[in-house]
Amino acid sequence: MNKPLLIEIGVEELPAIPFLKELANIEKKWSDILEKNKLLCGFDFFYTPRRLVLWHREFPVSQANSVVEQFGAPIKIAYKDNKPTNAAIGFAKKCGVEVEDLEQIDKGKGPVLYFKQEVPGKQSVTLLNEMVNEFINSLNFGKSMRWGSRTDSFIRPIRSLSILLENKIVEAELFGVKSSNFSFAHRMVSYEPFTYDFAGDYFCKLDKNGVILYPDERRKIILEQMKKIEVSNDVKIDIDEDLLEEIVAITEYPTALIGKFDEEFLELPEEVIVTSMKEHQRYFAVYKDGKLSNNFIVVSNSKTDDFSAIVAGNEKVLRPRLSDAMFFYKNDIANGLNNEGLKNLVFVEGLGSMYEKCEREAKIALYLANEFNETNKELLEKAVMLSKADLMSEMVYEFTELQGLMGYYYAKIANEDDLVCMALKEQYLPDGEDSNLPSSKFSAIVALSYKLDNLMGLFSVGKIPTGSKDPFGLRRAAAGIVKIAMEHKLSINLDKIITNLANNYKGLDKSQLLDFFNERLFKIFEVNPSVLKAVLGSGEKDIYKISLKLCALNPIVQSDDFKEISTTFKRVANIIKDIDVDKKLEVKDALLEDNEEKELYEAYKAVTSKQFDDYEVQLDELFALKSQLDNFFDNVFVNHENEDIKTNRKNLIGLVYQAFKNIADIKEITI
């Protein structure tokens, strides 16, 4: 039998960012608890800043009955002279019955003691209190707090609890708060709680009391209101998705409003204004004719007919924020872009100052310039030495997320070369999964120098990622190096780079760093892992070439007919397992007796004599040897009694294997 179940946990305002980080896990955690308690069923999860709601349209009123089977000692041990031994008596006691109530069953190895019992399912009302407490304690928001005289903690104080099964309150207690049938209205409607008798009554009264419970509905309302603002004001709102989700999480009755700030602040770089509005005030930026305007969008959580005071208040609050930004900006311009202060700014213990980091990065940049034929070496060194100078600026001190970007603006004002300016702006790219990449080879070298120094430097002082912990973003740095190599077609051999620059990093274990990097490749490239293993098995260390080989090989492995193809080439691998395929192999024409081996050798020579522009064409021609190989395997006896002929035939297959191994070690591929 099923009945509707409503659970509402009332809290003081939840902080949006930690809540949103945990949001993706919340439904799974409650589902796991339902399954654990044998009450798994469908449900919906809703939230506002002051409540967490679990709604089950059909909730089992009890667990299903279950059958418990228990098996005891063999009968020949359980009874002696037809009298129960301690083994039988102990088993009966364990089952909670008398010995004569036990049965026997033969599971194929002789009869044993057996007891079957039907266990009635527990009533849901007896389980819900513990389930809700387990659920709340499972939520991980990072930080928590205590209140009153309690010693337990949660992200915010619990103010109400309601567990309503159909129209009856389930007895329960959470953080000292007992279950009831009341909830709280929007604060601008009433500070007094309201009561409800059943779930439908709850949803209806929430709506009447100014609370839009469904986050999807709040999001839809905000977007519709923004659209109306765009049309009526002939503007375009930059809808930052992360900010939108934050606004949805902190409002119960959202209203989008347009405000204005003084035009004089448009002198500031666009990113400064947008960051100041977003980070400090949770405002959306507004554009007109493709340019940032002196408007902003604020989403109010008020329930009123007159929003003029709210708009004016937000305009008043924003002005000093932008005034501070303007003050920082002009001070920074006056002071100029100077890296001397970096000598007093520690990078990481054991790796010196930020100035010394720049010096190490400059050495990497000059090395890469030689590798990649970059001629602007003097500008490149200047860009690297200036790259962290904006860390000393007042603006970056206030908005750390603007580092690099402010260096770009200050370099532009100082009339630095455009290559230098852009390199400062792009030095940290890519900085996320869907991030842009450096726009030029010059900028790419600066970005690579930063990432390579982080990897070599931090590994040299033992700051190595463990488990899920990666405080310095070294996994992201490794992924960035791969993406840059692919984007700009740069031959990056990490082994060679480390070998040539290791003198700058005392204590660096090259093999440890290379192992870490190669492990990351399995996360970075979305291919069959065995395909990557096969490519690495070729001995290839050039990241760009690895990517090209994967792009050529993986589609072939994923094709429908590869299983048939692979059978042939597995035979190739099996035949040559006893020979050293890393040495030069020789096939003697005079020892070729059968037409099939002659045809295979001629086909092999025809393929390997060509110069290929890409690996895809080369692989197509190599895999086209399948027909000659099949004929060879069907008609040629490899283990000839003549050792010279036997060796010659194995060498022929070995040469085919070697041709593949230049691209990938085919024996590593599994499907």
Side-chain angles (χ1 to χ4, degrees), residues 322-487:
L322 296 180
S323 294
D324 287 345
M326 183 68 83
F327 176 78
F328 299 147
Y329 183 60
K330 290 186 174 179
N331 270 4
D332 289 340
I333 292 172
N335 293 329
L337 200 59
N338 192 299
N339 63 9
E340 282 298 309
L342 297 176
K343 293 178 179 178
N344 300 315
L345 183 63
V346 175
F347 170 45
V348 171
E349 185 178 353
L351 291 173
S353 67
M354 288 300 300
Y355 188 91
E356 290 171 304
K357 174 174 172 55
C358 289
E359 289 181 317
R360 292 194 303 271
E361 288 183 22
K363 291 177 182 177
I364 298 173
L366 292 176
Y367 171 82
L368 295 178
N370 289 327
E371 291 290 301
F372 305 148
N373 298 316
E374 174 57 57
T375 57
N376 294 304
K377 294 180 182 178
E378 188 175 332
L379 279 181
L380 193 59
E381 186 173 15
K382 184 174 188 178
V384 172
M385 291 308 296
L386 284 177
S387 62
K388 311 298 181 295
D390 66 353
L391 295 179
M392 305 308 299
S393 69
E394 293 182 51
M395 189 69 79
V396 172
Y397 182 83
E398 181 71 11
F399 300 110
T400 55
E401 60 267 47
L402 295 180
Q403 58 185 292
L405 186 63
M406 294 315 301
Y408 162 78
Y409 281 111
Y410 297 148
K412 290 282 282 185
I413 292 169
N415 292 317
E416 295 289 353
D417 189 279
D418 286 344
L419 283 173
V420 173
C421 298
M422 193 56 70
L424 301 191
K425 183 179 183 179
E426 298 178 339
Q427 63 181 298
Y428 301 112
L429 298 180
D431 55 5
E433 189 67 29
D434 301 315
S435 165
N436 292 328
L437 292 163
S439 59
S440 68
K441 184 171 69 173
F442 187 95
S443 289
I445 291 174
V446 175
L448 286 169
S449 301
Y450 167 71
K451 291 169 174 58
L452 288 167
D453 178 71
N454 281 355
L455 284 165
M456 291 188 283
L458 291 163
F459 263 76
S460 72
V461 295
K463 304 291 185 182
I464 302 168
T466 56
S468 61
K469 296 181 179 179
D470 185 13
F472 297 100
L474 296 185
R475 295 186 178 107
R476 187 170 64 246
I481 291 170
V482 173
K483 289 178 179 179
I484 291 172
M486 293 169 64
E487 174 71 12

Side-chain angles (χ1 to χ4, degrees), residues 27 32 42 108 129 134 145 159 199 203 244 265 282 286 333 335 346 454 495 512 532 539 591 599 607 611:
E27 291 189 28
D32 288 345
N129 182 34
E134 182 182 351
M145 61 181 292
R159 293 310 186 200
F203 292 119
L244 177 61
F265 293 120
R282 296 193 180 99
V286 178
I333 292 172
N335 293 329
V346 175
N454 281 355
D495 189 339
Q512 186 181 41
L532 175 55
L591 294 176
E599 289 172 3
V607 173
Q611 294 293 324

